[in-house]
Amino acid sequence: MNGTLLVAYATRYGSTRDAAGLLRDVLAKAGFGTDLRMARDVRTLDGVGAVVLAAPYYIGRLHRDAEAFLSAHGEALEARPTAIAAFGPLGEGKAEDRDQLEATLGRHPGLKPVSAGMFGGVYDPAKLRGFDRLLAALPASPLHGLAARDDLDRAGLRLWAEEL
C-alpha cells in the first residue's frame, strides 16, 4: 500500500472517536502509517492509500458526516481499499442490523468495502441533546428508561482491525 492509512470518523457524542482511536492504534501497531481525522475535515484523499471509516449507525442510517464523506469521496474510495466500522445498535450487532448496513452502503454503488463491521454502541442518556433527548423520552421508544450502557466489544473491534 502506498500512502497513509486514513481512519476517518464521524461522531455525535464522542464514543466513535474513541473507537476510531483504537482502530488507529491497532493498525499503527501492525506497521501502517496512520492518520486519524474527523470525516467532515477530510478535503482530499491525495496521499491516502487506504481508508477505514468509523461512524455511528442510528435508526438504519450512518451519521450524516459519514454519508457526506462517502458521497464527497466516492470516486476516490473506489480506487482504494476501504473498510467501514459502524457503531450503534445496543447489544451485539444483530443480523438485521448488518443487513441494514449493507443496504445503506448499497446507496453508494461504486463502494466495495474490503470489510464492513457492525459493532455494539455506547449509550448514555445523560449526554443526549435536542431531538435525541426527546426521542428517548417517548414511552414507545426502545431507549425510553434505558440506563447508560457500553456494548462496544473492544476485543472484537481489535480483532476486526487486525484482520484488515
Side-chain angles (χ1 to χ4, degrees), residues 59-112:
I59 313 170
R61 298 184 61 137
L62 286 170
H63 186 283
R64 68 178 176 267
D65 291 348
E67 283 288 347
F69 178 87
L70 291 174
S71 295
H73 302 290
E75 195 171 303
L77 292 170
E78 291 176 27
R80 292 165 174 76
T82 301
I84 311 291
F87 304 90
L90 296 174
E92 298 174 21
K94 300 179 260 341
E96 57 269 18
D97 296 320
R98 287 188 296 277
D99 291 346
Q100 283 184 0
L101 177 60
E102 287 180 25
T104 297
L105 296 176
R107 293 194 293 264
H108 303 277
L111 180 67
K112 305 290 184 231

Side-chain angles (χ1 to χ4, degrees), residues 6-22:
L6 172 65
V7 179
Y9 68 92
T11 191
R12 186 176 271 176
Y13 295 108
S15 63
T16 305
R17 176 189 59 236
D18 298 341
L22 185 151

Side-chain angles (χ1 to χ4, degrees), residues 112-132:
K112 305 290 184 231
V114 295
S115 183
M118 175 65 80
F119 303 92
V122 177
Y123 175 72
D124 185 351
K127 290 184 177 181
L128 297 179
R129 303 180 302 264
F131 180 74
D132 294 335

Side-chain angles (χ1 to χ4, degrees), residues 15-60:
S15 63
T16 305
R17 176 189 59 236
D18 298 341
L22 185 151
L23 289 168
R24 185 239 4 242
D25 293 348
V26 169
L27 294 165
K29 185 177 179 182
F32 292 99
T34 60
D35 186 14
L36 177 67
R37 286 191 276 162
M38 290 188 78
R40 69 177 177 218
D41 294 340
V42 176
R43 301 291 174 244
T44 180
L45 294 181
D46 292 346
V48 172
V51 175
V52 175
L53 175 62
Y57 197 76
Y58 299 110
I59 313 170

